[in-house]
């Protein structure tokens, strides 16, 4: 029986030729998540891209889902995928775009560019006060995968002392000065001028930075979050920003999300907020990387070889040595 493959990411003809060359003899269908139908999903053996989770309903026909995202939370929930369905993510595609976004937010806060922009709107030519430097600062990176690792490389190159935190595995990359496990977090928070969160959202990370831990942070510290909003207690973060305990926050994700128009976080001057756009396809290279990962995995699948970025349903993390 012919293998049917549905692709739910934007493609040009060259992308289609690449994918189809990796799976000769298969039938390809190209759609987008908002145009694919339930019937088309039901008639699919392999999915490349993120479908509406409610369309999957544990179908035993679906053999493999290659996500176009690094996060897989919607697809590891009970009943969404069949137990025999393989799940892989797009880790390796987002490090460039999101790490640069993080660096941009950090420089914006450190150099008070956001307050100068506010002053510009008011036609005010005046100093906004002292600024800070990445060089000589201590930056704590929570999550040392593709995104956290790329951010660590960048700030290390700019002269920061970088402390990485992983869930497992204490092998230290050369672009961090220290590497610790999550169990050491309480001891590390008071040392950091910047706490950068690149973790996925799951039971282990939900409310990881709660009110108690936010209060442990170094006075004037800056928090960056490009992981998931549920990792940080939003109300505690707002209190710490408004009181001056924290020096700023750069947030591409929030809890709740989307952030309601009336939420007080919008109006806190030292909060820089972007609407969960640091990844996606805003940087064209990200899409190119997603398609290369998908093509490599498709070729491996057709040849019976192990897939890159395979997800362990019990943890939500990548399996074995890729779980870094």
């Amino acid at each position: 029986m012919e293998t049917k493959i549905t692709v739910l990411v934007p493609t040009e003809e060259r992308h289609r030729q690449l994918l189809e060359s990796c799976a000769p003899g298969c039938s390809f269908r190209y759609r987008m998540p908002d145009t694919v139908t339930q019937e088309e999903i039901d008639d699919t053996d392999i999915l490349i891209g993120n479908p509406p989770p409610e369309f999957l309903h544990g179908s035993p026909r679906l053999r493999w889902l290659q996500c176009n995202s690094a996060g897989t939370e919607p697809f590891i929930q009970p009943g969404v995928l069949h137990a025999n369905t393989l799940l892989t993510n797009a880790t390796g595609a987002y490090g460039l775009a999101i790490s640069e976004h993080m660096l941009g937010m950090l420089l914006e806060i450190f150099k008070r560019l956001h307050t100068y922009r506010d002053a510009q709107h008011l036609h005010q030519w005046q100093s906004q006060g002292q600024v800070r430097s990445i060089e000589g600062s201590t930056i704590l990176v929570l999550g040392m995968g593709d995104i956290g690792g790329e951010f660590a490389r960048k700030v290390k190159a700019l002269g920061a002392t970088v402390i990485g935190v992983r869930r497992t595995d204490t092998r230290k990359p050369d672009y961090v000065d220290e590497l610790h496990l999550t169990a050491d977090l309480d001891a590390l928070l008071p040392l950091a001028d910047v706490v950068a969160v690149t973790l996925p959202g799951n039971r282990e990370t939900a409310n990881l930075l709660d009110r108690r831990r936010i209060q442990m942070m170094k006075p004037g510290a800056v928090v960056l979050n490009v992981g998931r909003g549920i990792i940080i207690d939003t109300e505690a973060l707002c209190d710490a920003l408004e009181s001056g305990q924290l020096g700023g926050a750069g947030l591409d994700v929030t809890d709740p999300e989307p952030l309601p128009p009336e939420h007080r976080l919008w109006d806190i001057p030292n909060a820089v907020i972007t609407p969960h756009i640091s990844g996606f396809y805003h940087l064209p290279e990200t899409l190119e990387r997603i398609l290369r990962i998908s093509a490599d995995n498709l070729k491996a699948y057709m040849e019976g070889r192990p897939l890159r970025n395979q997800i362990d349903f019990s943890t939500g993390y990548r399996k074995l040595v890729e779980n870094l």
Side-chain angles (χ1 to χ4, degrees):
M1 183 172 142
E2 184 181 51
T3 297
K4 295 186 177 180
I5 301 171
T6 299
V7 179
L8 299 177
V9 295
T11 56
E12 298 176 7
E13 182 58 32
R14 60 189 175 88
H15 300 133
R16 299 182 183 195
Q17 290 178 2
L18 173 63
L19 291 170
E20 291 171 19
S21 71
C22 295
C26 295
S27 171
F28 281 78
R29 175 191 295 127
Y30 296 91
R31 299 289 186 270
M32 291 299 289
D34 59 351
T35 62
V36 70
T37 67
Q38 178 72 72
E39 292 72 22
E40 289 170 332
I41 294 292
D42 291 341
D43 188 39
T44 296
D45 301 293
I46 295 172
L47 271 169
I48 297 175
N50 291 18
E54 63 272 16
F55 281 14
L56 299 175
H57 53 72
S59 169
R61 173 168 178 175
L62 184 64
R63 303 182 211 160
W64 165 41
L65 168 60
Q66 167 67 59
C67 290
N68 61 263
S69 60
T72 59
E73 298 95 322
F75 304 109
I76 62 173
Q77 302 306 312
V80 176
L81 290 177
H82 190 272
N84 293 329
T85 301
L86 296 174
L87 175 64
T88 55
N89 72 2
T91 292
Y94 291 94
L96 173 62
I98 298 181
S99 66
E100 288 188 346
H101 189 92
M102 296 170 71
L103 185 59
M105 289 195 298
L106 180 56
L107 285 168
E108 182 175 359
I109 294 166
F110 266 18
K111 303 305 179 184
R112 297 185 180 273
L113 300 182
H114 56 306
T115 64
Y116 281 106
R117 183 67 176 184
D118 292 343
Q120 178 180 336
H121 288 313
L122 297 173
H123 301 186
Q124 294 177 346
W125 183 280
Q126 63 185 37
S127 169
Q128 297 297 313
Q130 289 188 335
V131 298
R132 301 165 68 178
S133 177
I134 291 176
E135 183 170 340
S137 64
T138 297
I139 298 183
L140 181 64
V141 183
L142 307 186
M144 290 297 295
D146 175 44
I147 297 167
E150 286 299 310
F151 178 69
R153 290 178 195 272
K154 289 175 171 58
V155 292
K156 178 67 175 173
L158 291 173
T161 296
V162 182
I163 303 173
V165 176
R166 277 185 175 144
R167 186 178 67 99
T168 60
D169 194 337
T170 54
R171 289 176 292 174
K172 186 181 80 64
D174 57 8
Y175 50 84
V176 301
D177 296 280
E178 299 177 26
L179 186 67
H180 296 263
L181 297 181
T182 309
D184 298 330
L185 185 57
D186 286 0
L188 299 171
L189 286 171
L191 308 176
D193 299 294
V194 179
V195 178
V197 180
T198 69
L199 297 165
N202 54 41
R203 290 189 300 272
E204 293 179 2
T205 62
N207 213 34
L208 184 70
L209 295 183
D210 57 11
R211 185 172 296 274
R212 178 184 69 84
R213 284 191 166 130
I214 289 173
Q215 291 172 347
M216 295 174 66
M217 291 182 191
K218 188 175 184 178
V222 169
V223 176
L224 304 177
N225 189 7
V226 295
R228 289 293 183 267
I230 62 169
I231 297 169
I232 300 178
D233 180 332
T234 302
E235 295 308 313
L237 177 64
C238 288
D239 290 344
L241 290 169
E242 289 178 338
S243 70
Q245 177 204 342
L246 294 182
L251 308 172
D252 188 50
V253 291
T254 60
D255 182 29
E257 187 175 305
L259 191 65
E262 68 278 6
H263 201 286
R264 61 171 169 155
L265 187 56
W266 287 111
D267 297 315
I268 297 177
N270 52 344
V272 173
I273 302 166
T274 53
H276 205 152
I277 48 75
S278 61
F280 200 57
Y281 310 135
H282 295 92
L283 182 68
E285 174 60 19
T286 301
L287 178 59
E288 298 297 326
R289 293 183 177 196
I290 290 168
L291 286 162
R292 287 197 294 269
I293 291 168
S294 299
D296 288 347
N297 262 354
L298 183 57
K299 185 174 177 62
Y301 182 88
M302 301 308 292
E303 294 175 354
R305 294 185 283 111
L307 302 183
R308 174 181 175 184
N309 296 340
Q310 190 168 338
I311 300 299
D312 182 337
F313 280 71
S314 65
T315 65
Y317 290 89
R318 288 173 295 154
K319 290 184 175 181
L320 302 175
V321 296
E322 292 188 323
N323 185 25
L324 301 179

